[in-house]
Amino acid sequence: MSLEPARKHLVRLSDWPQEDLDRVLALSRTLRQEARPGALASKSIGLLFFRRSLRTRASFEVAIGKLGGQPVNLTGMSDLWELEDREGSIMDGRAPEHIQDAAAVLSSYVDALAIRPAPAGRTWDIDRKDETIKSWARHARVPVINMESALWHPLQALADLLTLEEELGKLQGKKLSIVWVHSPMAASASVVHSLLLSALRKGMHVSLAHPPSYALDPGVLDEARQRAEESGASLQTFNKLEDAIDDAQVVYARSWMSLESYGNPTLDASHRSRLTDWKMTEKLLARGSECKLMHAMPVRRNVEVTDEVLDGPRSLLYRQAENRLHSQKALLVDLLGS
Ligand code: CP
């Protein structure tokens, strides 16, 4: 394997040089049309899920199969020993195996490891360090692909960029609105963090709307402002949905956790119950510029987004979900293909 250390793993999309990212996006478009049944011949890819998934799991398994590779699917919650991720820890607790050893052993069986770490939700100061996925990347001798950690969801962002480019062409100067929507259950902000940095790096003007207590991670926002400055893009934040949507070409809806009540589901549920009017409707989207709607899914119908929008011509959700397949095929061919 002759990959450069800097891009051997995909922990966050922002670590990849733009030209590598553009090459994978171009290959995604090719692989939408073209079969490459032998591209991953004799390659095995470990898929380790410590959390539930529909799209990531199914699209990865199908992608590997279509390229002639072998998926090794391990449901971490039930199939594996409980794993320790702290370096130098005295392992006298529940976990009988360290990620260091699991990563070393699995690296001798498979050619890449894709990981969706266990649910976060301890304290944000701990979870934002993303120690579990970093530990896999540190100890594996094969490429590690992040299938959604507390902070990042690079595979979703890759499919989202592909979808945005298909819809809008060149992204420089186009307007994307990222809006918080109500859901009774808190989701991670990883999708939004990855999308925000990717869109700004492409030169999109981003308007971000959320209730006051739902600000994104300050470190991610600092990086976002820096990306905007480098690419000539802009980032504006609003506390009213309507203001962010005006003139947007695409609205991306997502419900994410409040860092103020992080790790306290009861307090979070109480905050959320007062925010039910943060919902995507046809009337709101009509404020945009022939505005389309994106959402990473799963989506709560008539809570986050109305049926009218989801089943109407504005919705790009199924295309986004299909693009997970094409973009992950491209990623695997780029990382491992002969
Ligand atoms: N968008 C996404 O990652 O979906 P799953 O959680 O179902 O994989």
Side-chain angles (χ1 to χ4, degrees), residues 16 52-53 102 126 131 154 156 241 264 278 280 308 318 330:
W16 276 41
R52 289 171 195 274
S53 165
I126 294 174
E131 275 309 329
Q156 184 64 51
L241 262 178
N264 185 340
W278 285 71
M280 273 306 108
E308 186 185 14
Y318 294 162

Side-chain angles (χ1 to χ4, degrees), residues 106-163:
L106 289 171
S107 296
S108 64
Y109 302 154
V110 298
D111 299 281
L113 277 168
I115 319 276
R116 177 171 277 195
R122 292 173 284 185
T123 71
W124 186 241
D125 281 348
I126 294 174
D127 289 343
R128 74 176 306 283
K129 293 183 182 146
D130 256 354
E131 275 309 329
T132 308
I133 191 71
K134 285 183 187 163
S135 181
W136 281 101
R138 204 161 36 242
H139 295 298
R141 297 191 308 276
V142 295
V144 166
I145 300 167
N146 179 359
M147 296 197 291
E148 192 183 9
S149 60
L151 210 51
W152 309 111
H153 196 343
L155 298 178
Q156 184 64 51
L158 198 57
D160 290 343
L161 281 180
L162 180 62
T163 311

Side-chain angles (χ1 to χ4, degrees), residues 55 156 163 251 293-299 305 309-310 314-323:
R55 278 142 291 271
Q156 184 64 51
T163 311
V251 169
L293 180 85
M294 292 175 69
H295 187 297
M297 303 178 85
V299 60
V305 186
V309 174
L310 288 172
R314 294 188 190 277
S315 172
L316 298 178
L317 273 69
Y318 294 162
R319 175 124 62 95
Q320 267 178 279
E322 182 189 330
N323 280 341

Side-chain angles (χ1 to χ4, degrees), residues 91-255:
M91 290 176 50
D92 57 358
R94 284 173 55 91
E97 179 146 52
H98 200 286
I99 286 178
Q100 178 174 351
D101 302 312
V105 170
L106 289 171
S107 296
S108 64
Y109 302 154
V110 298
D111 299 281
L113 277 168
I115 319 276
R116 177 171 277 195
R122 292 173 284 185
T123 71
W124 186 241
D125 281 348
I126 294 174
D127 289 343
R128 74 176 306 283
K129 293 183 182 146
D130 256 354
E131 275 309 329
T132 308
I133 191 71
K134 285 183 187 163
S135 181
W136 281 101
R138 204 161 36 242
H139 295 298
R141 297 191 308 276
V142 295
V144 166
I145 300 167
N146 179 359
M147 296 197 291
E148 192 183 9
S149 60
L151 210 51
W152 309 111
H153 196 343
L155 298 178
Q156 184 64 51
L158 198 57
D160 290 343
L161 281 180
L162 180 62
T163 311
L164 283 166
E165 287 188 344
E166 283 172 353
E167 185 61 29
L168 300 176
K170 202 168 155 40
L171 299 183
Q172 182 86 36
K174 305 280 169 54
K175 182 169 173 187
L176 171 69
S177 174
I178 302 176
V179 301
W180 187 92
V181 283
H182 170 70
S183 165
M185 300 274 285
S188 154
S190 57
V191 165
V192 169
H193 290 158
S194 290
L195 173 70
L196 179 65
L197 296 194
S198 300
L200 288 170
R201 188 150 76 142
K202 283 277 187 183
M204 295 192 87
H205 299 303
V206 178
S207 57
L208 182 64
H210 56 74
S213 50
Y214 285 80
L216 295 175
D217 176 74
V220 173
L221 284 174
D222 283 347
E223 195 174 342
R225 287 186 204 101
Q226 194 184 326
R227 292 282 177 193
E229 210 171 293
E230 286 161 7
S231 70
S234 63
L235 172 61
Q236 285 185 293
T237 305
F238 300 91
N239 288 144
K240 263 182 79 185
L241 262 178
E242 295 80 356
D243 296 342
I245 293 174
D246 282 343
D247 303 326
Q249 280 141 320
V250 173
V251 169
Y252 200 109
R254 185 74 175 167
S255 191

